[in-house]
Amino acid sequence: MDQDVGKKGTLLSRMGEAFRRVNKAYSPPGEHPLAGHLGALAAFGAYTAAWGVVVGVRRAALPDRHQPLDLLVTAAAVFRLGRLLSKGSVTSPLRAPFTRYEGSAGPAEVQESPRGGLVRSTVGELATCPFCVSVWLTTTFTGAHLLWPRATRTVTGGITALAVADTMQLGYDCLLQKNSG
């Protein structure tokens, strides 16, 4: 038994050393640490697997094909919620433990930068990236569609209405600016 532990320890140490060599060759020290991203990938894998387990345990029926309207509404909802969570000024308290305020970035949005150590800066980087947040949201809405399709359509429909309303607000502001000078 002790011999198995020694083998595992040796294998882990070799894997760790190989990872350090790859990280060092990938970017200068501290510039783009792969360890934080590896942790984020592991967390996302666990999150996705958890959805898979819940869907499997509940024996949710998988659709034969996607409904085009569901895809469009969900995509619009993911876009809008992703922007709100990653850039919204009103949601900045959620990101504040992991980010530093840099300035305004447009209507009701802020520019922030990640701060802190490895874990904190990785979370800050993910939390301020609408593309990164969208991956997690898409996974969430996909699982939710399988488990609670009517409730999920209600939520994604509401968020999509917000996205359309925001688009109309921005379009109106552009028209006012164009016509006033």
Side-chain angles (χ1 to χ4, degrees), residues 10-97:
T10 303
L11 178 62
L12 285 176
S13 65
R14 282 189 277 162
M15 288 172 55
E17 184 55 39
F19 181 79
R20 282 186 284 284
R21 282 194 308 271
V22 168
N23 192 30
K24 185 177 179 183
Y26 180 73
S27 70
E31 194 168 303
H32 192 78
L34 292 180
H37 290 215
L38 182 61
L41 282 171
F44 180 73
Y47 182 71
T48 303
W51 272 109
V53 167
V54 172
V55 167
V57 166
R58 296 271 312 268
R59 300 182 192 271
L62 300 177
D64 290 331
R65 59 187 165 79
H66 293 286
Q67 297 299 318
L69 185 58
D70 279 342
L71 286 175
L72 289 173
V73 169
T74 301
V78 165
F79 166 78
R80 184 61 193 105
L81 191 54
R83 293 295 301 184
L84 179 63
L85 291 174
S86 64
K87 299 288 184 187
S89 58
V90 73
T91 56
S92 59
L94 300 174
R95 297 183 305 276

Side-chain angles (χ1 to χ4, degrees), residues 123-149:
V123 172
E125 189 175 339
L126 293 172
T128 58
C129 171
F131 299 98
C132 304
V133 172
S134 292
V135 173
W136 290 77
L137 290 173
T138 299
T139 301
T140 302
F141 284 138
T142 299
H145 267 291
L146 293 171
L147 297 174
W148 313 285

